[in-house]
Amino acid sequence: MIIGVLNQKGGVGKTTLSVNLAAALALSGKRALLIDADPQGSALDWQSTREGDTLFPVVGMAKPTLHKDVPELAASYDHVIIDGPPRVNELAKSAIMACDLVLIPVQPSPYDVWAADDIVKLIQEVMIYKAKLKGRFVVNRKIVNTAIGRDVAEALRDYPFLVAETAINQRVAYAESAASGLSVLEFDSKGPAAREIKALVRELVEE
Ligand code: ADP
Ligand code: MG
């Protein structure tokens, strides 16, 4: 399965979710590949900070020919995750065209809900000639014991894509683990961050 993590807004958690989804898949015994389609190369930076084994390969591919190159690469893997670029442009469109599923991280703020309009439109453009393509929102940085995460999930229902049942909470483990090139699953394998990432993977991949 090819899952793109996309949103033209920066800082919504594309790279954080990409590396952790790829790690969860790799740790469950799947052959996972992470494609860094962001010219900033944050996923590549994450990988190069890491000491020891690589867990899964990260390939830098920030070019609008992604949809042509990814299928051949994907043949050697069970799952490919694409960490998307922070713009709505040809590169983002190419990344979407390569996907089976586009996961759209959205923070619990009305600004994020409004901003999602651009990426939704781009996905819909691709859907015209790729009917099997799916879009799915995921609430990221939800704050425990607040209603805003639920309100955002509610507001997102006006868009034509489902909202993942698993929300990802605001947790220091996401930044702390990344600082040493780790996923939250290695950082604290039984912790709440590891649990929610595994739940999200189950929801996305095993349907
Ligand atoms: P993007 O790739 O969309 O620009 P990042 O994944 O780089 O976003 O996330 C932006 C910042 O927010 C990073 O510092 C990251 O550590 C932090 N972050 C992302 N998701 C979470 C989360 N669920 N909890 C805490 N911090 C997070
Ligand atoms: Mg990023």
Side-chain angles (χ1 to χ4, degrees):
M1 187 173 188
I2 303 178
I3 303 175
V5 184
L6 279 109
N7 189 328
Q8 79 288 351
K9 206 164 189 267
V12 295
K14 294 182 290 295
T15 303
T16 301
L17 292 180
S18 294
V19 300
N20 283 292
L21 291 177
L25 289 163
L27 288 166
S28 71
K30 304 286 187 204
R31 292 170 303 167
L33 169 68
L34 177 55
I35 292 181
D36 191 342
D38 181 350
Q40 262 185 0
S42 308
L44 286 165
D45 289 341
W46 172 87
Q47 176 82 298
S48 63
T49 308
R50 205 180 157 87
E51 285 169 10
D53 71 310
T54 54
L55 200 57
F56 53 85
V58 183
V59 175
M61 208 187 271
K63 23 175 220 224
T65 49
L66 256 167
H67 59 289
K68 295 197 186 110
D69 301 334
V70 168
E72 201 182 316
L73 268 176
S76 318
Y77 294 91
D78 298 310
H79 299 289
V80 178
I81 306 290
I82 304 175
D83 181 10
R87 297 229 181 327
V88 177
N89 55 14
E90 279 308 301
L91 175 55
K93 190 166 179 181
S94 176
I96 294 168
M97 285 164 73
C99 293
D100 300 308
L101 170 71
V102 180
L103 186 67
I104 313 159
V106 174
Q107 298 178 101
S109 138
Y111 300 111
D112 272 51
V113 174
W114 299 325
D117 202 44
D118 295 334
I119 193 75
V120 167
K121 286 207 178 95
L122 193 60
I123 298 167
Q124 285 180 312
E125 268 178 44
V126 176
M127 278 177 162
I128 293 170
Y129 44 95
K130 191 170 178 182
K132 282 191 182 153
L133 176 64
K134 286 193 183 129
R136 182 81 57 96
F137 292 106
V138 59
V139 177
N140 181 36
R141 306 190 86 156
K142 187 176 165 205
I143 298 168
V144 181
N145 295 327
T146 61
I148 185 76
R150 197 189 56 223
D151 293 349
V152 160
E154 204 53 49
L156 287 170
R157 291 192 210 291
D158 291 338
Y159 286 116
F161 307 142
L162 296 175
V163 183
E165 275 177 37
T166 310
I168 303 298
N169 286 282
Q170 166 73 30
R171 302 185 194 278
V172 281
Y174 286 104
E176 277 180 352
S177 57
S180 32
L182 294 173
S183 64
V184 290
L185 289 91
E186 300 157 287
F187 187 71
D188 181 7
S189 65
K190 295 200 163 52
R195 282 205 302 274
E196 65 197 10
I197 289 292
K198 283 195 262 185
L200 182 61
V201 167
R202 271 199 302 277
E203 193 181 337
L204 299 179
V205 172
E206 290 167 15
E207 279 181 355

